[in-house]
Amino acid sequence: MRLPEWVKASYPSSSVLELKKLLRKGGLHTVCEEARCPNMGRCFSRPSAAFMIMGAVCTRNCGFCSVESGRSAAGGAAGLGPLSDDEPARLAAAARAMALKYVVITSVTRDDIEDGGASHFANCVRALKSELPAVKVEVLTPDFGGSRKALESVLAAGPDVFNHNVETVPRLYPVVRPQADYERSLKILERASAGGGIPVKSGFMLGLGERPGEVMAVMEDLRASGCVMLTIGQYLRPSSKSLPVFEYIRPERFDELRIAALAMGFKSVASGPLVRSSMNAEEYYRHV
Ligand code: SF4
């Protein structure tokens, strides 16, 4: 399908190259680059970036994602390196070099690691907070296999926002997120909002074949699980290996959903074709 005007993004690129150099020097990944995010030019020019920790190879293979999957056909895991102990320090150094006031940390999923990498997440939060005491940190985590202990170790590190995306409606999980579980993701959000004392955030994409009634049901489930922040964006195909776009949703529909979400009690709602879960994260945090 032809790309409609409203999903075409064009931003200055000079800052992108500058920031990429800094990130490579620090041996760091961003989900911005891995996911080929259309907003990279704008975010990198601020600068803001969503750092991706625990390597660039994932133990899962979600249909919408272009991150390299270490999941072999037989379900085994390949190409998954050990976690690097100095990654938290490198991340904090890059955040200082970029003079960031708000940092989003996300990651691939590492089902091959006992706690799913939760303690490594916690170390990254602590390293940032000690290097930049005034910095706000949002963690956008995998589901850690539903482990309550893993979740608690991340929350104990003191992030300012807990984020975990449900990505789509439960009916589409077998194709869009085959190794994930919708109820498990809701449980993670529920526990984070119950125990963390911090705003809880989630998000999903449109354009994968979901029906309007299913979208409203997901928003109600997220509210019921304690989410106060929500992001809704258009799915864009990052690579020919990824799922095709089923539909380009018109901007008016995103506006309708924002109004419906605010009426449901969400305090901060980013809803638009180019919205991504980490985009303008600082601004939306300030809304809460
Ligand atoms: S778990 Fe995350 S990084 Fe891994 S394939 Fe799915 S979306 Fe991509």
Side-chain angles (χ1 to χ4, degrees), residues 82-115:
L83 301 185
S84 63
D85 296 341
D86 69 346
E87 184 171 47
R90 287 186 279 114
L91 179 62
R96 174 179 285 287
M98 296 161 67
L100 295 180
K101 292 194 267 341
Y102 192 97
V103 177
V104 177
I105 310 174
T106 189
S107 77
V108 294
T109 296
R110 294 295 301 261
D111 298 310
D112 60 314
I113 297 173
E114 202 267 324
D115 70 350

Side-chain angles (χ1 to χ4, degrees), residues 142-153:
D143 63 21
F144 300 122
S147 157
R148 181 194 288 269
K149 193 160 157 279
L151 173 66
E152 282 162 2
S153 71

Side-chain angles (χ1 to χ4, degrees), residues 31 34 52 56-69 106-111 141-143 167 176-180 205:
V31 72
E34 299 295 333
M52 193 169 89
V57 180
C58 183
T59 50
R60 300 187 180 175
N61 56 357
C62 300
F64 65 89
C65 183
S66 58
V67 168
E68 186 187 340
S69 173
T106 189
S107 77
V108 294
T109 296
R110 294 295 301 261
D111 298 310
T141 76
D143 63 21
E167 306 291 7
V176 176
R177 301 183 81 198
Q179 293 88 26
M205 300 164 284

Side-chain angles (χ1 to χ4, degrees), residues 158-222:
D160 301 280
V161 173
F162 179 85
N163 190 353
H164 173 72
N165 286 330
V166 291
E167 306 291 7
T168 187
V169 300
R171 176 177 58 84
L172 298 178
Y173 264 52
V175 178
V176 176
R177 301 183 81 198
Q179 293 88 26
D181 177 280
Y182 180 72
E183 294 303 327
R184 181 167 66 201
S185 285
L186 289 181
K187 185 57 79 181
I188 287 256
L189 293 164
E190 196 183 304
R191 286 179 177 151
S193 61
I198 57 174
V200 171
K201 178 177 178 179
S202 187
F204 55 87
M205 300 164 284
L206 298 180
L208 286 157
E210 66 292 328
R211 304 188 190 105
E214 293 177 308
V215 173
M216 294 304 283
V218 166
M219 286 162 50
E220 279 148 13
D221 285 346
L222 292 176

Side-chain angles (χ1 to χ4, degrees), residues 104-148:
V104 177
I105 310 174
T106 189
S107 77
V108 294
T109 296
R110 294 295 301 261
D111 298 310
D112 60 314
I113 297 173
E114 202 267 324
D115 70 350
S119 49
H120 189 75
F121 245 106
N123 293 343
C124 288
V125 175
R126 290 194 183 92
L128 277 166
K129 292 277 182 184
S130 71
E131 182 79 20
L132 299 162
V135 78
K136 297 296 180 193
V137 179
E138 173 176 325
V139 289
L140 171 52
T141 76
D143 63 21
F144 300 122
S147 157
R148 181 194 288 269

